[in-house]
Amino acid sequence: MLHRLVRITSNDYREYRRAYTRIEYSFFEKGKADPFNSDEMKEMMKEGIKGKGEFLDFVENPKNELYFFEVDNEIQGITVLTFSQNSCIIDQFSVFEKGKGLGTILYNEVLKIIKQHKCKRIELWCPFVGAQIFWRKKGFSLKTKDGFFGKRV
């Protein structure tokens, strides 16, 4: 399985929108019933997609790095990182197929980028119980009840 991160540029707006609509959040633990209607969730996700102007501003900000996660030359995830002096905020982290180890592969690739930036801390907000389990397995600690996580690099 060949995988890589591909930097999203200002020319990738359409592909970004397509990828963003494929995101499915892990609201509950693996194997637990999901009470949400997937069509309703997809509609809600579309509302969260940045407009083109906002997307361009975000991509062109040197503090932000957006990536497609490709597996065998097909987009299988997306991640958005925001860097400050000594830390990185993972703003978006999603793989499109769960349970295949893709999240761990993506995390390892993201961690390489974070280390290249010489960050000492990683932060993220994750209110979804299913995804919180993933982040705890990666060594993150819950800092607040509303899902703010952190980890030293």
Side-chain angles (χ1 to χ4, degrees), residues 17 82 106 110 121 126 149-150:
R17 284 183 57 90
T82 300
L106 174 57
V110 165
R121 182 150 187 77
C126 178
F149 283 79

Side-chain angles (χ1 to χ4, degrees), residues 10 13 16-17 20 47-61 64 66:
S10 56
Y13 180 67
Y16 164 82
R17 284 183 57 90
Y20 200 90
E47 293 174 16
I49 297 173
K50 297 177 186 325
K52 189 165 186 178
E54 186 181 1
F55 169 82
L56 292 173
D57 289 344
F58 198 81
V59 168
E60 291 168 4
N61 183 331
N64 302 323
L66 293 76

Side-chain angles (χ1 to χ4, degrees), residues 52-103:
K52 189 165 186 178
E54 186 181 1
F55 169 82
L56 292 173
D57 289 344
F58 198 81
V59 168
E60 291 168 4
N61 183 331
K63 292 182 178 183
N64 302 323
E65 294 185 15
L66 293 76
Y67 294 91
F68 291 125
F69 175 52
E70 287 188 353
V71 177
D72 296 331
N73 294 319
E74 190 174 318
I75 295 173
Q76 290 296 325
I78 189 168
T79 191
V80 176
L81 309 172
T82 300
F83 294 94
S84 62
Q85 285 183 319
N86 293 321
S87 68
C88 175
I89 298 172
I90 300 175
D91 289 314
Q92 179 69 50
F93 184 97
S94 298
V95 294
F96 304 147
E97 293 186 56
K98 310 279 190 250
K100 294 186 175 187
L102 297 178

